[in-house]
Amino acid sequence: EQQVNPFRTDISETADGYKLEADLPGFCKEDIHIDIDDDILTIKAEHTDSKDESGDKNSYIRRERYYGAYTRSFNVSEIDAEGIKAAYENGVLTLTMPKKAPVKPESKHLKIE
């Protein structure tokens, strides 16, 4: 059974939204999946155990690198989902998330017939 681990995340407020930074060292961009479903943003990062070129998986003298799945979910109901940008550099995933524009009641001018 695969164990799912959380990962460390910082969320800060910016002038026009939020910035989320997640520690995901040792992943390739292709290993990280970001999905938004019903105002819930889920970040999932998964290490797959690659086949060792030497052929014998038990030839390790010491093996500390962990292969598994990491996942976190966040409520993004106040976020403009279309405007979210993601970048991954030096083991840190950064999401720039703009706030939804406040909905202003429409004012109408009626013309007198």
Side-chain angles (χ1 to χ4, degrees), residues 7 17 20 26 63 93:
F7 46 83
L20 181 151
R63 189 173 191 191
L93 175 70

Side-chain angles (χ1 to χ4, degrees), residues 67-110:
Y67 291 88
Y70 296 76
T71 186
R72 288 286 294 267
S73 293
F74 303 91
N75 183 319
V76 290
S77 54
E78 293 177 30
I79 303 297
D80 173 12
E82 297 295 314
I84 295 176
K85 291 184 171 59
Y88 180 67
E89 199 174 347
N90 300 328
V92 178
L93 175 70
T94 303
L95 297 187
T96 308
M97 305 183 291
K99 289 179 189 168
K100 277 183 184 163
V103 179
K104 292 181 184 149
E106 258 183 67
S107 63
K108 287 187 176 160
H109 180 71
L110 292 181

Side-chain angles (χ1 to χ4, degrees), residues 4 20 22 25 28 38 41 45 63-65 78 83 93-94 111:
V4 174
L20 181 151
C28 298
D38 217 8
L41 180 139
R63 189 173 191 191
E64 293 183 342
R65 292 189 303 164
E78 293 177 30
L93 175 70
T94 303
K111 202 174 180 180

